[in-house]
Amino acid sequence: MNTRIAGLYAITPDLADTDELQRRVQAALRGGAQVIQYRNKTASPALRAEQARMLQILCAGSGIPLIINDHAALAAEIGAAGLHLGGEDGPLAAVRAALGPDRLLGSSCYDRIELAQTAIAAGADHIAFGSFFPSTVKPGAVRPPIDLLTRAKARFRVPVVAIGGITLENAPQLIAAGADAVAVISAVFSAPDVEKAARAFQSLFKKSP
């Protein structure tokens, strides 16, 4: 399995319909998504477990890592490739110790490069900044300057992920600034053709130096 965080990092929307979620994620994988993150803030524990297991089977079959948002026990239970934590989601060092060295661990660092330094020291192997653009998922999120990506790439030796309001039109400037991956929800999973949207995002990385 590819465990390098790069390219289109597709984050699932809050969907209660597991069959519909499966259909959309299958389409994103066909389109070339390089990472899937399962994020559902409205699901019950039972639904979350059902959907995560389904996605793990899909992603494992495609050789693409599945990262679980927030829920470390669930990630371990289903054998997911990794976990992503926000700034309020618990001590990274303890989570890294529980996950072991071979699982991916990402951390949201918002607009603060010092948070990235702390996260990496605690065991994060990739870091995410944003929201770089207005986002309907997190309308009140902080808005870092795009050159934060350039500074992070110069300072750290881990993949840097950009998130927040990313579209096909604004993604190229994030990639040019140094983003190894762009994390996208709506512009992929709410697109009329999910596979086509995913392919278009992934093609932006093939054009980059």
Side-chain angles (χ1 to χ4, degrees):
M1 177 180 289
N2 170 31
T3 54
R4 168 72 181 176
I5 302 296
L8 173 59
Y9 184 131
I11 302 179
T12 62
D14 290 353
L15 281 176
D17 186 333
T18 300
D19 289 340
E20 179 63 15
L21 178 63
Q22 179 175 355
R23 186 189 70 78
R24 294 193 201 184
V25 172
Q26 284 175 323
L29 290 169
R30 288 195 304 269
Q34 296 298 293
V35 183
I36 300 292
Q37 183 190 123
Y38 175 56
R39 177 186 185 276
N40 191 331
K41 297 296 188 181
T42 62
S44 67
L47 178 61
R48 189 178 297 116
E50 173 193 333
Q51 293 185 338
R53 290 190 190 100
M54 176 274 293
L55 291 176
Q56 174 61 15
I57 292 169
L58 278 186
C59 290
S62 299
I64 295 299
L66 174 68
I67 293 177
I68 302 297
N69 183 280
D70 292 354
H71 297 277
L74 179 59
E77 177 186 338
I78 67 166
L83 181 72
H84 184 87
L85 294 179
E88 307 297 322
D89 292 332
L92 276 168
V95 171
R96 168 52 78 194
L99 284 177
D102 298 327
R103 299 271 177 92
L104 296 166
L105 180 58
S107 178
S108 294
C109 302
Y110 310 105
D111 60 345
R112 297 170 57 191
I113 205 160
E114 69 273 15
L115 277 183
Q117 178 71 60
T118 301
I120 293 166
D125 51 43
H126 59 285
I127 50 178
F129 295 101
S131 176
F132 283 97
F133 303 102
S135 167
T136 56
V137 176
K138 286 191 174 183
V142 295
R143 296 276 299 280
I146 290 175
D147 72 357
L148 179 62
L149 295 167
T150 307
R151 288 184 277 129
K153 283 301 294 180
R155 183 167 174 178
F156 306 121
R157 295 191 176 186
V158 301
V160 173
V161 182
I163 191 169
I166 298 175
T167 65
L168 284 167
E169 291 70 34
N170 61 36
Q173 60 189 296
L174 301 174
I175 297 168
D180 296 289
V182 291
V184 183
I185 303 176
S186 301
V188 169
F189 287 114
S190 295
D193 186 329
V194 172
E195 181 178 347
K196 181 179 179 181
R199 185 171 291 111
F201 271 104
Q202 186 58 26
S203 73
L204 296 175
F205 290 88
K206 296 174 184 176
K207 296 173 185 175
S208 64

